[in-house]
Amino acid sequence: MHLPRLMSEFAKAANMDRIHHDEDGAYRLEIDGMLVTLSEVAHKEDLFMWAEVGALPPEGRETLCHTLLTADFMGQATQGAVLSIDPDTETITLHRIDSFKGMDFEHFKTKLEHFVNVLETWRKTLEDYRPIAHHHEEAMIDAAHAAHQHSIGNFIRV
């Protein structure tokens, strides 16, 4: 198992005693007020990261969904993560899967940092979303790109 070792190194780097997993083996980290879940994909050598971006608003869904799909296209505004909607809760989520093959702690830390930056960008984009004010999805994509560029230099604050 790769994730327990990486989480042990993460705890050490963050000056924490230990990070515990739940009964399913998943690790939940609160980073800048955002809950990020990390787990191993069963029977594979993959790391699974996911988090909730926020609730799908009642108005302007078509424009917002078009924006989310456009952002997902070739990972343009998600750094390879995937935006999706939980059909049961109508919550927008972000997830990514990465292979553990060749993953050392620095690679893991970089992947987690990028994931958190993308999550933060899309949370801010969703928070600022106003269907009447945004007639063109390009405006939202541009805002997300700008926010992401601003957050690239920041690392995880635990």
Side-chain angles (χ1 to χ4, degrees):
M1 302 222 359
H2 302 279
L3 192 54
R5 179 183 49 81
L6 291 170
M7 294 310 297
S8 176
E9 289 183 54
F10 183 83
K12 186 176 178 182
N15 293 320
M16 300 169 70
D17 288 334
R18 189 167 183 211
I19 301 173
H20 298 280
H21 59 79
D22 65 14
E23 62 278 354
D24 296 323
Y27 293 85
R28 288 175 176 67
L29 303 175
E30 185 175 328
I31 304 169
D32 294 340
M34 300 177 291
L35 187 63
V36 176
T37 301
L38 307 164
S39 62
E40 291 191 40
V41 178
H43 309 298
K44 290 192 174 187
E45 294 280 317
D46 293 335
L47 168 66
F48 182 67
M49 292 185 221
W50 78 272
E52 291 184 354
V53 175
L56 187 63
E59 289 115 16
R61 287 181 171 198
E62 184 176 332
T63 299
L64 180 58
C65 288
H66 185 271
T67 299
L68 296 173
L69 287 171
T70 302
D72 269 340
F73 180 68
M74 304 286 190
Q76 295 182 74
T78 60
Q79 291 194 14
V82 177
L83 290 159
S84 59
I85 299 170
D86 181 327
D88 295 328
T89 64
E90 293 197 330
T91 301
I92 300 167
T93 63
L94 182 73
H95 76 273
R96 74 173 295 127
I97 297 175
D98 292 289
S99 174
F100 278 119
K101 289 184 181 179
M103 185 181 291
D104 61 9
F105 179 66
E106 288 303 314
H107 188 194
F108 166 75
K109 191 169 68 171
T110 299
K111 291 288 185 184
L112 182 58
E113 175 185 2
H114 289 167
F115 183 82
V116 169
N117 287 338
V118 170
L119 176 61
E120 187 173 50
T121 296
W122 281 101
R123 280 191 166 199
K124 176 82 171 110
T125 300
L126 184 61
E127 181 181 297
D128 293 344
Y129 177 69
R130 302 288 178 267
I132 296 168
H134 295 285
H135 294 291
H136 299 94
E137 54 277 346
E138 293 85 16
M140 286 183 65
I141 293 290
D142 289 344
H145 279 295
H148 171 68
Q149 290 302 317
H150 175 64
S151 69
I152 285 219
N154 299 330
F155 188 58
I156 301 166
R157 294 166 297 277
V158 179

